[in-house]
Amino acid sequence: MQDNALELFEVFIRSKRGLDHKHVGSLHSEDHAQALEYARDVYTRRSEGVSIWVVKSSDICASQEDDAEDFFDPNDDKPYRHATYYELPDAVNNM
Amino acid sequence: MSDNIKAATQEYATRLGDDAVVLGHRISEWVSRGPFLEEDIAYANVALDYIGRARMFYGYAAELANDGRTEDDFAYMRDDRQYQNLLLMEMPRGDFAYSQVRQLFIDIYYNLLLPELVNSKDDTLAAIAAKAIKETRYHLRRSRDWVLRLGDGTEESHHRAQAAVDSLWGYTHELFDMDETEKLLADNGIGVDTTQLREAWLKHVSAILSEATLSVPEDGWAVRGGRIGYHTENLGHVLTEMQFVHRSYPGCQW
Amino acid sequence: MSTEQQLSRQEQQFMDKIKAEEKIEPKDWMPEKYRKNLIRQISQHAHSEVIGMQPEGNFLTRAPSLRRKAILLSKIQDEAGHGLYLYSAAETLGITREELIEALQSGQAKYASIFNYPALTWADMGAIGWLVDGAAIVNQVSLQRTSYGPYSRGMIRICKEESFHQRQGYDIMLSLVNGSPEQKAMAQDALNRFYWPALMMFGPHDSESAHSAKSMEWKIKRETNDDLRQKFIDQTASQIEFLGLEHPDKDLKWNEERGHYDSGEIDWEEFQNVINGNGHCNRQRLEHHIKAHEEGAWVREALAAYNAKKQANKSEAA
């Protein structure tokens, strides 16, 4: 049996209620339950979190950087989706 | 607080401090020696909890003694015969199975004892217990899972875990002994009557051992004496190491 | 487009990102040498954190007060944590932790040579926190701006936690210099032994550094060895003075024109000697690490076996 018996997990932490979970790093463990416990000990030693997610690294499906142009660029030409696209009459503030 | 209750409470706090500092010392011996890095970090947290607990109990003992002694005087200036920790705490680090089985026995014990101590009429003891309960629940999650994994892992891990159970079992009986001091405190709603905890402890331990495919030893063998300072030879070495620097420079601040 | 043109186009895009101060992320194309260089540096950094647990662990069971024991324990635990953050960053480059550990244990990968010096007295806990962590922080603060995203984020996290390390070390020194004459002598001795090795932590002079130029171009490193060392020398001088200890560098002198301290020359022979394995603890540190790793093998095997049984039970039930 090899050492790679331990699986790699990615750790996400919600630092405060009201905020999104944020990726903080990874760790090795036997299963999800142990990964959660280790995440608590490794990534929240200074009370950095109120909630933890762990995900097997192998379960993450990521977009390919090589495709980035095809994948993300098409949205670059839709400036009308951003509020700044619209010029408001001076008389109207704050919208 | 009457004088005899006060003296008994001070001794009780000292004993609980002794338990915590000796076990904390033993766990801290694992630092940089864990089976992998994550476990090193996690186990260090448990050690930290115990050192913290020792400081709270000794701090309270010092407050009751009110003779100028500090938490460090309790930890560093008392000898083997004055230390009153349970023998189980001072047993060596052993292999990883040995440490985790010991931890399981102790974690289940505290998971029964602390919820009682929270109801103590002594506010300080109750407050320390309230903090310690949260730590101990987490410790038990860890030690329980480890014993399951080791007991039901490989042949080797099973063998090591069973060997640990067998060689530590004899030291668990005194966890449930009561002397006059502790009886007095239990009668007055300050301390916990540990004789009442054994049945639940045994049930809980047996359930986990059996799930881990480990067997519960016979009860014939029992070693006692921690609470009267009658220790195994292990404690002397713990204290020698722990107290060396402190005692080499008497009266210094660190 | 030929493969060659394709490659140079990718390389161009890569360098454009670097120049624009954009971070390189794990799935980006990167030159193989950049990847190798990063693995070398990040893993060396990770190994240093992990091996660095030993000299302080050596005093954990002898800490002279419960408060110091708790502080030291949490500091060493942080080091394990930092090692883990860094292994985690290195793993995003397509290398496993097992491979990294193997490289450490075979001597192929390095760790900071400072940890080959022995920790002999309690004052060494002060000197290590203050000087060794202090030197490390100067380097790490600069590395927060490193070009590789996961490394940079790891550094930011580490720097946030690490300032406590240096302070607790200085705090130990403060207690000692304000204590008995024996305590003060202990502090001076620790300063004398750790000052020069701490300066060596920044590596050889820029003119001698094998990896520096390329690392700077790729922005893996952001400041040169000598610049970082100068920062450390400057900030440490007043700290030594405040402690009322004698400065180990007899040639140290403020240079008004440069706005920096001029200092004596480092004993590079000693530096090479310790790097080449002749420090007091080179063998001990690795043997300790290998022993713990080997003693943990059956535990890791048990985890795997237990996990396999669980999976089997699950598929049986399904």
Side-chain angles (χ1 to χ4, degrees):
Chain A
M1 197 57 70
Q2 294 302 307
D3 281 359
N4 54 19
L6 293 171
E7 252 188 288
L8 190 62
F9 286 80
E10 301 298 323
V11 181
F12 301 77
I13 290 182
R14 185 201 297 290
S15 59
K16 220 165 76 178
R17 302 185 69 82
L19 296 181
D20 289 325
H21 284 76
K22 194 174 147 200
H23 184 244
V24 293
S26 64
L27 53 76
H28 294 228
S29 80
E30 184 251 312
D31 65 359
H32 286 93
Q34 194 183 39
L36 265 184
E37 292 176 9
Y38 283 152
R40 173 244 194 211
D41 290 319
V42 171
Y43 289 102
T44 68
R45 295 195 302 283
R46 291 174 175 76
S47 316
E48 291 95 334
V50 293
S51 162
I52 303 176
W53 290 347
V54 291
V55 182
K56 275 188 192 172
S57 306
S58 57
D59 282 345
I60 289 184
C61 178
S63 63
Q64 289 302 311
E65 296 297 334
D66 293 348
D67 303 342
E69 288 175 19
D70 305 346
F71 211 67
F72 300 108
D73 289 359
N75 287 327
D76 284 352
D77 65 354
K78 299 179 181 67
Y80 45 83
R81 305 196 79 145
H82 300 274
T84 46
Y85 177 77
Y86 306 93
E87 217 166 288
L88 284 183
D90 288 345
V92 182
N93 291 325
N94 301 326
M95 185 180 283
Chain B
M1 202 188 292
S2 75
D3 280 353
N4 63 333
I5 296 271
K6 191 170 164 182
T9 307
Q10 182 193 321
E11 187 161 355
Y12 191 54
T14 308
R15 289 176 180 187
L16 293 171
D18 290 347
D19 284 344
V21 84
V22 174
L23 185 63
H25 181 101
R26 281 300 188 210
I27 302 172
S28 77
E29 291 174 346
W30 276 100
V31 167
S32 82
R33 295 185 177 89
F36 48 98
L37 202 47
E38 282 81 354
E39 180 57 27
D40 221 307
I41 297 167
Y43 213 9
N45 257 356
V46 180
L48 263 180
D49 287 342
Y50 275 98
I51 303 295
R53 221 180 272 187
R55 296 185 64 192
M56 290 189 286
F57 281 124
Y58 284 152
Y60 187 41
E63 185 188 320
L64 290 171
N66 195 26
D67 55 7
R69 277 187 294 169
T70 65
E71 59 179 33
D72 286 335
D73 292 316
F74 280 84
Y76 291 94
M77 299 306 288
R78 287 157 59 243
D79 292 329
D80 314 35
R81 303 284 283 135
Q82 294 162 313
Y83 257 75
Q84 297 179 62
N85 60 282
L86 298 162
L87 301 178
L88 191 56
M89 311 291 180
E90 73 201 38
M91 301 311 284
R93 169 167 77 97
D95 64 10
F96 191 72
Y98 190 88
S99 272
Q100 291 305 333
V101 166
R102 181 223 318 254
Q103 201 64 49
L104 177 74
F105 291 166
I106 291 168
D107 292 342
I108 293 177
Y109 177 67
Y110 278 130
N111 264 273
L112 295 166
L113 186 144
L114 293 171
E116 299 289 327
L117 193 59
V118 162
N119 300 321
S120 172
K121 283 184 185 156
D122 185 297
D123 291 342
T124 308
L125 290 178
I128 298 172
K131 179 170 185 305
I133 277 181
K134 292 185 209 160
E135 301 164 353
T136 277
R137 273 194 215 120
Y138 178 69
H139 300 170
L140 176 57
R141 241 167 87 172
R142 277 178 38 85
S143 59
R144 173 187 168 276
D145 287 352
W146 268 120
V147 170
L148 292 179
R149 289 181 174 113
L150 298 180
D152 199 13
T154 60
E155 205 174 306
E156 178 177 9
S157 70
H158 175 87
H159 173 77
R160 285 175 185 263
Q162 187 65 57
V165 170
D166 294 345
S167 91
L168 286 166
W169 195 255
Y171 300 95
T172 63
H173 301 283
E174 72 165 352
L175 270 59
F176 310 98
D177 289 347
M178 298 277 286
D179 66 358
E180 291 308 316
T181 303
E182 293 186 17
K183 271 185 203 142
L184 175 71
L185 293 176
D187 290 346
N188 282 276
I190 292 171
V192 177
D193 182 356
T194 55
T195 57
Q196 302 296 311
L197 306 180
R198 174 125 210 280
E199 199 181 326
W201 181 87
L202 190 60
K203 204 171 139 197
H204 199 160
V205 168
S206 305
I208 292 172
L209 292 185
S210 127
E211 195 184 339
T213 72
L214 297 166
S215 52
V216 180
E218 297 291 326
D219 270 344
W221 171 52
V223 189
R224 298 181 146 89
R227 292 295 191 226
I228 56 166
Y230 188 46
H231 290 279
T232 68
E233 291 176 351
N234 296 294
L235 183 67
H237 297 282
V238 170
L239 297 185
T240 301
E241 190 172 349
M242 187 168 95
Q243 298 177 339
F244 168 74
V245 176
H246 186 96
R247 289 206 191 207
S248 297
Y249 302 87
C252 285
Q253 298 296 311
W254 300 96
Chain C
M1 217 186 288
S2 73
T3 334
E4 222 164 85
Q5 279 172 320
Q6 176 79 21
L7 192 67
S8 70
R9 201 187 119 228
Q10 282 174 319
E11 227 166 332
Q12 196 51 52
Q13 285 173 340
F14 169 82
M15 279 317 295
D16 288 346
K17 276 188 206 158
I18 297 268
K19 279 182 192 139
E21 291 287 326
E22 270 186 53
K23 297 293 179 211
I24 306 300
E25 294 295 344
K27 301 223 164 184
D28 287 344
W29 182 90
M30 59 186 83
E32 188 52 24
K33 277 191 179 154
Y34 175 84
R35 197 181 76 91
K36 287 250 167 67
N37 201 328
L38 267 176
I39 289 177
R40 184 187 58 78
Q41 184 171 330
I42 300 176
S43 69
Q44 176 170 340
H45 199 157
H47 298 325
S48 299
E49 297 280 358
V50 169
I51 295 294
M53 296 167 73
Q54 292 181 33
E56 289 172 308
N58 176 42
F59 259 94
L60 190 49
T61 48
R62 286 179 288 170
S65 76
L66 292 177
R67 184 174 74 99
R68 290 291 180 201
K69 196 193 268 295
I71 294 172
L72 188 61
L73 180 51
S74 43
K75 178 186 186 254
I76 301 172
Q77 188 199 28
D78 272 354
E79 275 151 19
H82 296 170
L84 199 144
Y85 302 162
L86 288 159
Y87 282 132
S88 160
E91 279 176 292
T92 62
L93 291 160
I95 188 162
T96 65
R97 195 188 308 168
E98 289 72 38
E99 290 171 306
L100 294 170
I101 289 177
E102 212 175 280
L104 168 69
Q105 297 188 342
S106 69
Q108 189 199 331
K110 299 272 179 253
Y111 57 88
S113 199
I114 186 86
F115 300 118
N116 293 320
Y117 290 82
L120 301 176
T121 71
W122 173 250
D124 290 9
M125 298 303 100
I128 289 174
W130 167 38
L131 299 172
V132 176
D133 287 77
I137 291 168
V138 169
N139 191 29
Q140 286 161 353
V141 164
S142 158
L143 283 173
Q144 291 181 105
R145 295 187 297 122
T146 189
S147 59
Y148 187 57
Y151 191 24
S152 158
R153 292 190 286 276
M155 278 299 117
I156 290 169
R157 178 175 290 276
I158 287 172
C159 282
K160 236 190 255 171
E161 301 184 350
E162 192 110 358
S163 61
F164 130 67
H165 294 186
Q166 190 183 13
R167 285 187 190 191
Q168 67 86 34
Y170 197 66
D171 193 59
I172 289 175
M173 297 302 270
L174 273 173
S175 296
L176 294 175
V177 299
N178 290 319
S180 70
E182 289 86 354
Q183 283 178 302
K184 192 166 179 183
M186 197 194 278
Q188 181 71 57
D189 172 55
L191 170 60
N192 294 347
R193 279 183 290 112
F194 278 95
Y195 181 77
W196 291 107
L199 295 192
M200 296 176 197
M201 285 173 70
F202 295 98
H205 284 312
D206 299 340
S207 52
E208 313 281 326
S209 177
H211 304 285
S212 256
K214 203 66 190 167
S215 290
M216 291 291 288
E217 188 191 333
W218 277 329
K219 297 188 181 171
I220 293 176
K221 280 179 69 161
R222 301 309 306 258
E223 288 170 87
T224 70
N225 294 353
D226 285 329
D227 285 350
L228 291 167
R229 182 163 27 235
Q230 184 71 59
K231 254 185 212 176
F232 179 73
I233 290 170
D234 290 349
Q235 73 181 37
T236 307
S238 61
Q239 294 165 356
I240 293 175
E241 197 183 328
F242 185 80
L243 290 174
L245 294 175
E246 225 173 280
H247 202 296
D249 182 355
K250 301 299 169 234
D251 297 323
L252 190 89
K253 215 176 133 202
W254 178 251
N255 184 326
E256 193 63 50
E257 207 171 302
R258 289 203 308 131
H260 291 293
Y261 281 96
D262 292 336
S263 50
E265 195 44 82
I266 290 167
D267 182 351
W268 293 110
E269 207 173 308
E270 177 190 321
F271 176 75
Q272 288 304 336
N273 197 33
V274 175
I275 282 194
N276 291 334
N278 300 313
H280 275 46
C281 300
N282 298 53
R283 290 187 186 216
Q284 180 192 332
R285 299 293 185 233
L286 272 191
E287 279 164 10
H288 178 116
H289 193 273
I290 292 169
K291 183 161 183 270
H293 192 69
E294 284 175 355
E295 284 176 357
W298 69 268
V299 179
R300 298 189 297 275
E301 282 163 18
L303 279 183
Y306 181 77
N307 188 276
K309 281 185 203 176
K310 240 180 3 190
Q311 300 302 336
N313 284 344
K314 238 189 241 166
S315 50
E316 226 169 83

